[in-house]
Amino acid sequence: MDTEHTGVESQALDAYSRVVTGVATSLLPSVAALSVRTSRGQGAGSAVTFTDDGFLLTNAHVVAGATGGTADFADGTETRFDVVGADPLSDLAVVRVHNPGAPAAPLGNADDLKIGQLVVAVGNPMGLAGSVTAGVVSGLGRSLPARDGRRVRIIDNVIQTDAALNPGNSGGALADSTGTVVGINTAVAGYGLGLAVPINATTRSIIGELVANGRVRRAWLGVAGVPAPLPPALADRLGQKLGLRVVEVVPGSPAGKAGIYLGDIIITAGGQPTTTVQALQRLMLGPAIGADLPMTLLRKNALVDVVTVPAEMN
């Protein structure tokens, strides 16, 4: 009985090992160790190649204050890189190496992840190039505050993992069992707790803007809100329990011009349920600037439709 049990465990361990070694084999050539020097001193991190012509994805905080640096790949290649663009409010940045040649890693969709799913982290912690750790998705839907000067934004749907992450892992790949990159490792929150910015539709849009324009244009409504319950009868009819109660409207803002008032509860924006601040934030990227954004509000037990026109955030 013990022998049979041990045999099953060995098979499971071998399957686990095959997955991790397979991911390592496919991703290690695509991950670089970055070295940067700024007026604040020298820094280091990791980056993931995601195009065949030398564009790499990393964290904004890894290249903060730098215009370029040096990238070292697992095959011994060393090349200079330039910072194409960085977005501190998502903690993502794109750099481009002078001598491309590393294979592009496939980017996936973190929205498909499940808690308990195996993930593999590839990066360069503590200056140890080409390090691989494995673990599981410990949590989903976490939030991480990001700051750019006086502006603060919440990075939502952050991935929590118990795969060991250490300084230098930032900017490295978090991959699923197929070797598809589902996140960019961004922070070590505490012992046994790592976080990664997800790869999904929102971050793909951000990455595309960084490649094309070197920056991310964001829209602005000039409204602040907090989640609030909808009346039970309305919640049952809409299939939506919460809305976003307006607690501040900036005078002269797009929200103010559209006729949104304190105490209104935003139910939908752009046809999408609006139950959290993050749900509204996701709509506030470049394409929203200057475009009509219809919103449905609850005002004194009556539904009110307004059309806002988000402006560009300066």
Side-chain angles (χ1 to χ4, degrees):
M1 184 67 178
D2 289 343
T3 302
E4 181 180 344
H5 184 66
T6 302
V8 172
E9 286 185 339
S10 297
Q11 290 176 9
L13 180 59
D14 287 344
Y16 176 89
S17 298
R18 284 195 296 272
V19 169
V20 176
T21 55
V23 173
T25 299
S26 64
L27 279 187
L28 279 172
S30 304
V31 177
L34 300 187
S35 298
V36 299
R37 183 177 294 278
T38 68
S39 58
R40 296 175 299 174
Q42 190 163 346
S46 305
V48 186
T49 307
F50 67 98
T51 71
D52 290 328
D53 53 351
F55 284 96
L56 282 71
L57 192 57
T58 186
N59 288 144
H61 74 260
V62 169
V63 295
T67 58
T70 302
D72 292 281
F73 289 88
D75 64 357
T77 300
E78 179 180 313
T79 178
R80 296 286 300 172
F81 71 83
D82 299 317
V83 177
V84 176
D87 179 45
L89 293 180
S90 64
D91 199 19
L92 291 174
V94 171
V95 303
R96 192 174 192 181
V97 295
H98 291 190
N99 298 306
L107 300 184
N109 183 7
D111 292 347
D112 295 332
L113 289 175
K114 302 290 190 295
I115 292 177
Q117 184 173 339
L118 172 65
V119 284
V120 180
V122 182
N124 304 280
M126 313 296 288
L128 301 174
S131 293
V132 177
T133 57
V136 298
V137 175
S138 306
L140 293 167
R142 304 303 194 212
S143 296
L144 182 69
R147 180 181 295 273
D148 183 13
R150 291 181 298 175
R151 292 186 295 169
V152 177
R153 182 179 183 272
I154 300 298
I155 305 174
D156 60 347
N157 291 327
V158 170
I159 305 163
Q160 177 189 335
T161 176
D162 66 352
L165 300 178
N166 292 287
N169 267 121
S170 287
L174 187 73
D176 64 15
S177 59
T178 68
T180 300
V181 179
V182 292
I184 300 298
N185 301 317
T186 190
V188 182
Y191 180 77
L193 177 61
L195 301 174
V197 176
I199 300 295
N200 55 25
T202 301
T203 50
R204 281 176 180 273
S205 177
I206 290 170
I207 294 165
E209 287 211 39
L210 289 174
V211 171
N213 306 311
R215 69 186 185 96
V216 176
R217 300 172 69 220
R218 279 194 167 79
W220 176 69
L221 275 179
V223 64
V226 296
L230 299 179
L234 181 61
D236 289 341
R237 178 155 65 90
L238 298 178
Q240 178 180 333
K241 295 182 179 180
L242 297 176
L244 200 63
R245 184 183 298 279
V246 176
V247 296
E248 180 183 2
V249 179
V250 178
S253 67
K257 293 176 181 177
I260 296 177
Y261 303 110
L262 291 177
D264 286 348
I265 297 179
I266 302 172
I267 297 175
T268 64
Q272 301 297 315
T274 305
T275 59
T276 64
V277 174
Q278 291 91 334
L280 198 55
Q281 282 183 348
R282 281 194 290 270
L283 302 175
M284 295 294 103
L285 292 175
I289 298 170
D292 288 352
L293 180 68
M295 303 178 74
T296 298
L297 317 171
L298 178 64
R299 179 182 297 162
K300 296 181 179 178
N301 295 318
L303 294 179
V304 177
D305 292 325
V306 300
V307 177
T308 60
V309 183
E312 183 169 2
M313 180 187 291
N314 296 320

